[in-house]
Amino acid sequence: MSQHHPILNPPNILTLFRVACIPLMVVLLFSPSREACFWAAWVFALASATDWFDGHLARRMGIETVFGKFLDPIADKLIVTAALIMILPFGRVPAWMVFVVLAREIVITGLRSIASSEGIVIQASDLGKYKTIFQLTAIIGLLLHYDYNWLFGIAHPLLTVNMHNAGMFFFWIAFVLTVWSGVDYLAKFVKVIAR
């Protein structure tokens, strides 16, 4: 028998915090300035870190709620969607790639809902986890966008990193994993449904 837990438990509070970060990040991204993008990247990174931490906390404390199961994946998708849509007008990422990424999320969420309504559990592969890691890393780079010197303020071309290029490098990896994991899940769905 599953134990009843209050909605406002530590893991769910972290998830709600992640949702609360979204409007702040969006407001910051109304400006393409270096400072605004720097702080938006920090907000995004902080929110993304809570995604790992709330899951870890929930497992460690043995806390699992229907509210948490619903909100956690929604919060992840909302913050990624918000970040990608807000940087589109700045031309930092191709619109067609954003469309494919968001379409994949909508399709897979729909398939999971159908499977769940039929009492079917389709195990996600590790591809989805890798996709998320590369996607979050890429978005932080794309939000930072500008050149950054990471070594004690010493100005030297070899010490300067163009965060847009770094972000796009990781975004291409995330994109391939997005399509691959989407096709993998679709194949598993069709296989299970066809039985």
Side-chain angles (χ1 to χ4, degrees), residues 6 9 12 19-20 25-26 33 69 75 122 151 156 180-181 184 193-194:
N9 57 57
N12 285 351
V19 173
M25 183 190 68
V26 166
S33 72
K69 286 181 183 177
I122 301 174
L151 190 61
H156 191 283
W180 186 2
S181 61
D184 178 67
I193 294 298

Side-chain angles (χ1 to χ4, degrees), residues 108 111-112 115 122-124 180-189:
I108 298 304
L111 292 177
R112 282 188 176 136
I122 301 174
Q123 293 297 325
W180 186 2
S181 61
V183 170
D184 178 67
Y185 190 89
L186 181 60
K188 287 178 180 176
F189 177 84

Side-chain angles (χ1 to χ4, degrees), residues 10 41 81 119 145:
T81 300
H145 180 66

Side-chain angles (χ1 to χ4, degrees), residues 87-148:
I87 63 174
L88 268 178
F90 307 147
R92 294 185 188 176
V93 63
W96 69 269
M97 292 180 81
V98 173
F99 170 76
V100 171
V101 168
L102 299 184
R104 181 263 189 207
E105 295 303 331
I106 292 168
V107 169
I108 298 304
T109 300
L111 292 177
R112 282 188 176 136
S113 297
I114 294 168
S116 178
S117 68
E118 296 295 322
I120 299 168
V121 176
I122 301 174
Q123 293 297 325
S125 67
D126 287 338
L127 288 171
K129 295 175 187 175
Y130 299 137
K131 179 265 299 182
T132 300
I133 292 168
F134 281 104
Q135 193 175 71
L136 298 179
T137 304
I139 291 173
I140 291 170
L142 292 170
L143 290 174
L144 287 170
H145 180 66
Y146 297 94
D147 288 351
Y148 282 85

Side-chain angles (χ1 to χ4, degrees), residues 18-31:
R18 189 153 75 255
V19 173
C21 285
I22 296 170
L24 175 58
M25 183 190 68
V26 166
V27 169
L28 286 167
L29 288 173
F30 276 118
S31 167

